[in-house]
Amino acid sequence: MTAATGLGYEMVVGLEVHVHLQTATKIFCGCSTDFGAPPNQHTCPVCLGLPGALPVLNNHAVELAIRAALALDCTVHPVSMFARKNYFYPDLPKGYQISQFDRPLATNGRVTLPGHGDDPSPRAIGVTRLHMEEDAGKSIHDRFTAATAVDLNRAGVPLAEIVSEPQIRSASEAESYLKTLKQILEFAGVSDVSMEEGSLRVDANVSIRLPGATALGTKTEIKNMNSFSAVVRALDAEARRQADLLDSGGRVEQQTMLWDATMEEVRPARSKEGSHDYRYFPDPDLPPLVVTSDRIERIRRELPELPAARAARFMTSFPSLTAYDIGVLTSSRALGDYFDELAARSGDAKTAANWVLGEVLASLKASGQSIDELLVRPAGLGDLLALVRDGVVSHTAAKQIFGVMAERGGEPRAIAERDGLLKVSDDDALVRWIDEVFAEHPGEAGRFLRGERRLQGVLVGFVMKKSSGSADPKRVNQLLATRTGS
């Protein structure tokens, strides 16, 4: 709710994003992190917090957290500490969460948001800190009447918590920040960032102030949102609530809020805790986390190409692509990899992009597959584009061949030969199809022969359909033109 929202206040937002690190086992024990298992199957004395059980830090989780920090341009500290964050909640069996407090793994990073139509300049949002912690379990309120169930499969799954500076000024900017952050983490390979499975969850600290004011207003925290649309709607609703309070002479109380998507409202959950309420102290069972500079530099070198760098490379290497093309092709690492390989094989980036943005994405949308599951791999699609380029099959036939490849796999030339889709340029065959089309569509044929030239494309389409896409459309056009004496 900037002044542009019309409510007369500026919105100030800081986001805390919890990201599941993509490990096979939990952060302090060997229990599986697989999603979707029956309740309480992935538990042990360590993640249940039983007396005498001692945590052992998962080295791969540290590796992924460092990779995330470097992808966000953070400074990774050589020594960080784990602490106990004490609070009671039914899904936290130990009564405390192992987190990092005053000595986090990394600080001072940034997420650079792309420009948009009104303001094409990129804008950097500061990342205050990135720290490691364990997830809690999950309370389930709708399984039993008048009772709450607890599933502890998630307890102990490794998290990176990424805290932004309060530099976000609108709900749409918060959405842009989250989409960019999600894209970076997915490219870096640190998480599946699946919001449906709770691998990326958002808490938002929101306050309002008069335009031009420098002091921050009293903030509230909206907890555990797991969709971009929920964040946008919750921020706008909370800003409106705070504005109504201030305009009516009331005051905003610092408290934790919950977003009710059904009622489209935020409502208080509890008074906001300060850090002193959690009685943090260093975890006595875990030594300081020491990260050598050699290890940091090795992980930095192993970082893959990140979204901004890939977009810049595409812009330079493939000048025929539009900004829209590049935006879609870099929206995920897997899609960009697919396009990259296809463009290299075909030697024609624009044609490759048109096929990826057209047939490939349409096929994925229709089938619900991921790009990695698509049977048409870049090598096969590259061979198909070569058949079109060399005049072996028409563009129309190529789309049919692609459909077969997507459904059953196969080599494109073999499919073309088997299904009679090789381009037919033989005049006898083409004339026969044209004659049949004229006989089946006498109205259009007659108007065409009397001079209505715009019907030529319609007639070519009829011939292409009759030939199952195998007719040479260029030669069909030439033969049709001879019928009119032109």
Side-chain angles (χ1 to χ4, degrees), residues 15-17 19 72 127 129-130 160-164 177 185:
L15 295 175
E16 299 174 8
V17 179
V19 180
L72 297 171
V127 171
R129 57 187 278 153
L130 181 151
E161 180 173 343
I162 300 162
V163 182
S164 84
Y177 172 90
L185 297 174

Side-chain angles (χ1 to χ4, degrees), residues 4 14 32 41 65 68 161 164 181 272 292 308 321 418 433 453 478:
S32 170
Q41 296 299 297
E161 180 173 343
S164 84
L181 176 64
K272 173 69 178 171
T292 66
L321 302 187
R418 184 195 65 201
W433 281 328
R453 298 291 184 267
Q478 292 170 342

